[in-house]
Amino acid sequence: MAVHVVGNVGLDTTFRLARFPKPGETLNASGVGVALGGKGANQALAALRAGAEVTLWSAVGSDAEAAVVRRGLLDAGLCDRGLLVLPLPTDRSAVLVDADGENQIASAVACALAFDPVSSRWFERAQGGDVLVLQGNLTPNATRAALRTGRALGLRTILNASPLGTHADMLDGMPHVVVVNRVEGETLTGEHAPDRMVEALCGRISGAAVVTLGAEGFVFAEGPDERPRSRAAHAARAVDTSGAGDVFCGTLAARLSLGHGFEPALRLAGWAAAIAVTRAGTFGCGPDRGEFQTWYE
Ligand code: ADP
């Protein structure tokens, strides 16, 4: 069964600086790099590397950056058949990173906000039993509608409700599985204990919930009648924790699409995410196909 990731993609330009500029000040960066970004693209690549057949359904603009995005997806092994072209600038972010590793980010996300997944007609390619994955970068309306369509088609639907912003109503799309980190879990449920967050989320969607806890691992339950269980994180020397959640969700989706049980799929997701934190960047920071094959197949 295949994985359909409906989400955003863009270009991140990262400038490395000794310190952040003050208002009105210009500083020379010690380094600059351009990389693909967007939670949709990150999760699609993680799912591909975990062994799934994947399509990313997303939107780019009609500009030079769109060609860079398309090339980047193809070079990573993803297909570009799900890319819709909109008369807008391609989404992009400027990321400033200071000597302490702190960052400041400015984003322009016209495509993510204008993308109506219905127009990419992803649902015509999806088959019952496939896995549909969404994140929080599209509008809540688009996210809810895609989840409902996926459910009606008999797909297994996963919502990584991140970024959450003020869009708690994304859950009204009633995904089969919701994945959030601790902060998002607190915001969505008003609870502070991860077990309670999992219980509240399972009850809200009548489905499975996972709350990720960074270096402390994760807590999950497969449904409202199940007692939440915790799993420790794999030991890892973290250098950059950004992207860990995306590798976790992409790997989970891939393994569910391959018919693995929920708990074994989560265990592998935790392993892959622990590798991701030992590597810089987000797009492709998880284990590659060879590493999955060496360790798990
Ligand atoms: P997000 O990136 O969405 O904020 P988390 O920080 O909770 O999500 O990380 C997601 C998962 O990645 C965790 O549940 C854990 O399995 C793994 N992880 C994150 N940080 C570490 C770490 N320092 N060491 C090992 N695993 C980690």
Side-chain angles (χ1 to χ4, degrees):
M1 290 297 159
V3 173
H4 302 271
V5 180
V6 174
N8 67 324
V9 62
L11 282 182
D12 295 342
T13 305
T14 301
F15 299 89
R16 300 204 163 269
L17 300 156
R19 62 173 175 82
F20 294 125
K22 299 187 185 119
E25 186 183 24
T26 301
L27 293 176
N28 282 335
S30 58
V32 64
V34 180
L36 246 63
K39 289 181 74 70
N42 296 341
Q43 295 189 6
L45 181 54
L48 179 79
R49 289 180 166 185
E53 183 198 325
V54 182
T55 307
L56 171 65
W57 302 94
S58 190
V60 290
S62 41
D63 50 15
E65 283 73 17
V68 180
V69 167
R70 194 178 294 276
R71 186 75 261 150
L73 293 176
L74 292 171
D75 285 350
L78 289 160
C79 68
D80 65 351
R81 73 169 179 199
L83 279 192
L84 198 70
V85 177
L86 300 176
L88 292 167
T90 295
D91 291 357
R92 71 195 77 152
S93 297
V95 184
L96 307 186
V97 181
D98 76 3
D100 298 328
E102 288 295 326
N103 60 42
Q104 291 184 344
I105 303 175
S107 294
V109 293
C111 286
L113 296 179
F115 179 45
D116 175 5
V118 171
S119 41
S120 71
R121 310 200 75 71
W122 60 272
F123 40 85
E124 289 175 356
R125 300 283 190 133
Q127 295 178 9
D130 284 356
V131 174
L132 173 70
V133 189
L134 283 113
Q135 311 79 32
N137 293 96
L138 309 183
T139 63
N141 274 347
T143 304
R144 276 194 307 267
L147 286 169
R148 285 181 183 143
T149 305
R151 223 184 148 106
L153 286 172
L155 275 55
R156 188 151 185 194
T157 54
I158 302 177
L159 172 65
N160 176 211
S162 173
L164 184 57
T166 55
H167 304 318
D169 51 358
M170 276 191 280
L171 290 183
D172 295 345
M174 296 299 279
H176 294 101
V177 182
V178 61
V179 182
V180 289
N181 67 18
R182 188 197 297 264
V183 175
E184 291 148 0
E186 275 181 359
T187 309
L188 278 170
T189 64
E191 300 286 354
H192 300 295
D195 282 21
R196 302 293 297 274
M197 293 180 211
V198 167
E199 283 168 351
L201 289 167
C202 286
R204 170 98 189 263
I205 62 165
S206 298
V210 185
V211 175
T212 63
L213 306 169
E216 290 166 44
F218 56 89
V219 181
F220 71 101
E222 268 199 81
D225 303 328
E226 212 184 67
R227 192 186 280 263
R229 286 177 278 168
S230 325
R231 291 289 174 268
H234 286 252
R237 197 183 295 254
V239 298
D240 178 359
T241 59
S242 60
D246 289 340
V247 169
F248 188 94
C249 290
T251 307
L252 171 66
R255 300 315 266 206
L256 292 180
S257 80
L258 295 169
H260 293 232
F262 196 57
E263 214 243 317
L266 283 174
R267 250 189 286 129
L268 194 65
W271 169 78
I275 292 195
V277 303
T278 67
R279 298 173 183 169
T282 53
F283 186 69
C285 65
D288 64 23
R289 191 77 205 101
E291 288 171 308
F292 271 106
Q293 281 163 337
T294 304
W295 295 101
Y296 277 96
E297 286 160 20

